[in-house]
Amino acid sequence: MRFREQLIEKVKNAGVVGAGGAGFPTHVKINARAEIVIANGAECEPLLCTDQRTMETAADEIVSGVKLVMEAVGAGQGIIAVKAHYHEAVKSLSQAAASEKNIRLHEMGNYYPAGDEHVLVLDAAGRIIPEGGLPLHVGVLVNNVNTLLNIHRAFHGEPVVRQRITVCGEVNWPRVLRVPIGVSFKDLIALCGGARIEDYVILVGGPMMGRLAGDCGEPVTKTTSGIIVLPKDHPYVMRRSRTVATEARMSKSICEQCRYCTDFCPRWLQGHSLEPHKIMRVIDYDRDLDTDTITRAFLCCECGVCDLYACPMALSPRVVFREFKGRLAGAGIKNPHSRSGLAQDQYRDYRKIPKDRLIQRLGLKEYDVHPEWEERDFPFTNVKIPLRQHIGAAAVPVVKTGDKVKQGQLVGEIPEGKMGARVHASMDGTVAEVNGRYVGIESR
Ligand code: SF4
Ligand code: SF4
């Protein structure tokens, strides 16, 4: 078997999925050809330090992951994108890559959304991805640094059973931890000294693109980069809790068509024809027949710049785009926009959003504490391992209640002929529950 097929097989066996986004199965992603491989260590979400601490503590493994992927996809160039002010991470990565003449560091400014794939590919490799396109359309493959760490481990036979995660906000001891997949948010918060307040909500992921958790029993998955405990009545939380109907009502009465949302939109600034102020016009004046504007919803990456930073009236074109995206997909309509050969806006560099200013704008400055990494494994008594932690079909359980399992043992298989990812036991124990959603394991 050639190296490329070998790596794909090992990554598939280990259940690696994209750690920095929605969890696209990595064995599918690396089954490609590319000229450049980028390690995404930009971590632009405010308050999270997971990628930063990973780069500080696992630089050799990340560089190894980059080399493995470069060889598999035939890339002649590797770029590790890291914030210039992450001094420890820059130092560790520079040392790890010192003898690699085809791999270089790209040191970035502290702006949002530096980690968005389109932004990253332009800033690190100088290539603009077409509308509705992927980095591969311009010969680039992007992987998050934690995914590359998992690829390195997969190559050495280790499945993905633990997750690095930032826990911060209203907890007594904010920190970055490595925990078994399937541990509940409640147990994580307890591990961090408990919540400092009674009435709280949990933000999963960062403040810009994360979501509010349904309940604290939700489990950590392969894509959970952080949880942030926030007061239920925090203005940020109230704002993120608004429904699309409320957004529409508010827009009709207060959208002033100033177009700041468009002027700051990272996709518009790369030449994409995404104009959020126009989608507000559609709902303000009931222009449902403006399908050209409505279908541009497909170009929105939901970065949150328009609503959480740019709009002076605190309106959310993002929520409106998301609503239209859902309706269009439900009606079987696909993205018709695919312009290429684009040019960036002349003011793009001046409209990158300084992260400190963004945190101030979000009202979250008091939680910007840069948690430290804690290098140890913690004992947990139970986990619920979701069978779908990725894009694609849910895994099919291959264990039953009462089975004894060992950490790393396969508990969920990819359904025959479908795209998906394998799932493994994240601790030794007995299978306590198996259903269509998860495999529960207890340490008895
Ligand atoms: S920035 Fe806000 S007020 Fe201005 S056009 Fe966009 S949604 Fe309307
Ligand atoms: S969320 Fe807003 S700023 Fe971000 S891509 Fe979509 S329209 Fe543009």
Side-chain angles (χ1 to χ4, degrees), residues 185-264:
F185 295 163
K186 190 172 156 210
D187 286 350
L188 265 188
I189 292 167
L191 195 65
C192 291
R196 293 190 301 219
I197 52 173
E198 275 193 11
D199 246 1
Y200 63 82
V201 292
I202 299 170
L203 177 65
V204 189
M208 296 303 284
M209 296 187 73
R211 62 176 176 85
L212 296 173
D215 70 84
C216 56
E218 271 193 42
V220 169
T221 71
K222 296 173 187 176
T223 62
T224 316
S225 52
I227 62 168
I228 304 169
V229 176
L230 294 173
K232 214 175 207 164
D233 58 356
H234 192 287
Y236 165 85
V237 174
M238 314 275 273
R239 178 132 181 235
R240 291 297 308 271
S241 308
R242 285 199 316 239
T243 63
V244 68
T246 305
E247 293 292 346
R249 261 199 317 274
M250 286 177 65
S251 182
K252 275 178 197 271
S253 57
I254 56 174
C255 176
E256 57 196 24
Q257 284 294 293
C258 62
R259 67 162 283 158
Y260 282 168
C261 48
T262 296
D263 288 342
F264 280 93

Side-chain angles (χ1 to χ4, degrees), residues 1 27 200 234 270 353 360:
M1 204 189 281
H27 66 277
Y200 63 82
H234 192 287
Q270 295 206 344
I353 298 165
Q360 292 278 8

Side-chain angles (χ1 to χ4, degrees), residues 261-262 264-268 274-276 297 299-307 317-319 321:
C261 48
T262 296
F264 280 93
C265 172
R267 296 296 163 96
W268 165 259
L274 179 63
E275 295 171 276
L299 306 182
C300 170
C301 65
E302 301 187 21
C303 68
V305 165
C306 52
D307 57 352
R318 163 171 61 172
V319 168
F321 274 136

